[in-house]
Amino acid sequence: MEAINKILRENNQEHLIKYLEKVDNDKKEKLIKEIENIDFEQLKELYQTSTRNIDKAIEGVIIEHVPFVDKYKLEEDKYKSIEKIGIDTIKAGKYAVVTMAGGQGTRLGHNGPKGTFKLEIKPEAKYLFQIIAENLQRENEKYNIILPWYIMTSTENNEKTVEFFEEHNYFGYSKENVMFFNQANLPLLSEKGKILIDENYDLKLASDGNGSIFKSMKKEGVLDDMRKRGVQWIFIGAVDNALLNMCDPILLGLTIQDNNEIGSKSVVKANPHERVGVFCKKDNKPAVIEYTELPEEMAEETDEEGELLFGESHIMCNLFSLRALEKIAEQKLPYHSAHKKANYIDENGNLVKATKPNAYKYEAFIFDGFNYFDNISILRGRREEDFAPIKNAEGIDSPETAIKLYNSYWKL
Ligand code: UTP
């Protein structure tokens, strides 16, 4: 106990001693283990970034337009030859799909992993995981293969996700080709930089963002498994896009033909001020700049044809070579802080229910992995074919808007 108390005092977290004194021995042991796993130096650095002025985020950084290819403006011959490269690669068993499902889905507010949300589409309602499973099976039939399917979960939702798949018999997908892996966690910090405790007297932890995927794939043996299976190209998509096209041979063929290690699908921004991240080059490296960081005049800037210079939205449809994933897994991606509402137990044992943002959560973003390459192949798709996000309970990017897009795409 003394050693732990010393660590806590040295790191300005001595309030945790009070919780340790309150709980029974089993709980105490568990809490001590959790505390021992904390990288306090990292936490200190993260806390210092929390209050960073967002307006200064791109100070001194050169932001430039990055070229893209419009899928529907490709000449027929070119389209066909690119498509063939993609199809041949998929048929040769060199392609795999990853679904990122480790998020908390706080905005949607569904009780359970986001993939277990049922979307009331026609002709019958389907779970988000089911939509993905069925789409992949359609691709499997088309190419006469079985795509290895990896699903990233968090410690918070892993058990429920696996149970859900078991309960639904993997929606007919061959079980030996579905692999779950957990992503990492980080503690939530109060506005004063103190680690919070949850209702079970555990550290209040949260998944550390979808950029956690690179190191998690390495740590959990996913990259090794891919190598063993002969996989060379990996599509990584979000669980919450009802029109996610996981197997576009044009994106794959284009990236291979361009001799790039990374590729990504975009759709053009609905308007200059849509709240989405857009592709750009930051200091000459491919990047995504968040809408909060893009100065207004740049958001509105157009080329001579009237196209927005920063108009290609990042829609979480990313393609990586295995080599690229291995390379990024060795890097330390930056963390971004988000000011969020978090309920917690105070030092007197009372539950504090947050009514406004009161804590910092730290997340790495998948697109920060682009920074380790000189170029990226960006393929502009179409919103009505590629993007039906489910983020909010109602209004923009909600089940209601996703249902409309889904039904209209499938002509239901
Ligand atoms: P979002 O950033 O939209 O987050 O995730 P979210 O968790 O779904 O929703 P909010 O912000 O709490 O309302 C985009 C994709 O990244 C995954 C999500 O599951 C989703 O597929 N993700 C996000 C992770 O896999 N892990 C994370 O830590 C965060």
Side-chain angles (χ1 to χ4, degrees), residues 62-113:
I62 299 172
I63 308 287
E64 288 168 302
H65 164 78
V66 60
F68 63 89
V69 169
D70 189 329
K71 184 173 173 180
Y72 295 100
K73 287 192 181 155
L74 278 167
E75 282 163 21
E76 203 183 330
D77 283 359
K78 194 146 189 224
Y79 188 98
K80 290 240 165 79
S81 69
I82 288 176
E83 184 177 45
K84 183 168 182 322
I85 298 172
I87 291 175
D88 289 348
T89 308
I90 298 169
K91 279 192 174 161
K94 295 178 183 165
Y95 192 71
V97 167
V98 182
T99 301
M100 299 187 297
Q104 294 185 302
T106 36
R107 285 168 288 171
L108 181 63
H110 165 61
N111 185 15

Side-chain angles (χ1 to χ4, degrees), residues 100-107 114 152 183 207 209-210 238-239 391:
M100 299 187 297
Q104 294 185 302
T106 36
R107 285 168 288 171
K114 212 173 190 181
M152 181 166 81
Q183 70 168 104
S207 46
N210 53 40
V239 69
K391 298 288 178 195

